[in-house]
Amino acid sequence: MEERNDLKSIIAGLVIIIGGVVAILIDLFWLKTDRSIWISIGCSLLASGIVILAQVLLIEDRKVNPLEKWGLEKIYETRAEKNQESDPELDKAKVQIDAVAFGLKAFRSRSKKK
């Protein structure tokens, strides 16, 4: 299985880090509070963002399901179900049709180009 990182978590971590840096800079250069409350909040956000990024990049890799990559749309229990749904669509196919099944002799003989 292929592994990939969760983009939403990476973006969230970066946004939280940026928010922390902004809070620190606001207190240092604009508000200049006595107790440095915004510096404390900014440092907390900065640490949280770093933890999120570390977890996403180093620990949690999401497993990609190969069926998503293949683009598999449906699995039918019986050939009759497949025929009922797909036969009307066969004439609309322009390039190719991909199907995996057992015993496709009737399908091949019925679908030969004339």
Side-chain angles (χ1 to χ4, degrees), residues 12-31:
L14 291 173
V15 167
I16 291 171
I17 288 173
I18 291 169
V21 170
V22 168
I24 292 169
L25 293 175
I26 285 174
D27 198 7
L28 285 175
F29 297 111
W30 188 46
L31 295 177

Side-chain angles (χ1 to χ4, degrees), residues 74-113:
K74 294 191 179 177
I75 298 176
Y76 298 98
E77 288 286 327
T78 64
R79 188 175 298 127
E81 289 178 59
K82 189 230 42 102
N83 290 344
Q84 182 181 12
E85 192 169 322
S86 67
D87 284 353
E89 303 294 322
L90 291 177
D91 295 332
K92 297 177 186 176
K94 294 182 180 175
V95 178
Q96 78 180 44
I97 298 171
D98 294 329
V100 177
F102 294 104
L104 289 173
K105 181 179 179 184
F107 172 78
R108 288 192 313 266
S109 63
R110 186 177 62 238
S111 301
K112 284 184 181 177
K113 292 190 177 191

Side-chain angles (χ1 to χ4, degrees), residues 3 7 13 16 18 23-24 34-35 43 47 49 52-54 62 67 69-70 72 74 83 89-90 93 101 105 108 113:
E3 296 179 358
L7 184 62
I16 291 171
I18 291 169
I24 292 169
D34 292 335
R35 294 190 178 186
C43 288
I52 290 171
L53 285 180
R62 188 171 76 89
L67 296 180
K69 185 177 178 182
W70 297 339
L72 186 64
K74 294 191 179 177
N83 290 344
E89 303 294 322
L90 291 177
K105 181 179 179 184
R108 288 192 313 266
K113 292 190 177 191

Side-chain angles (χ1 to χ4, degrees), residues 16-18 20-21 24 41-51:
I16 291 171
I17 288 173
I18 291 169
V21 170
I24 292 169
I41 292 171
C43 288
S44 175
L45 289 173
L46 194 60
S48 297
I50 290 171
V51 168

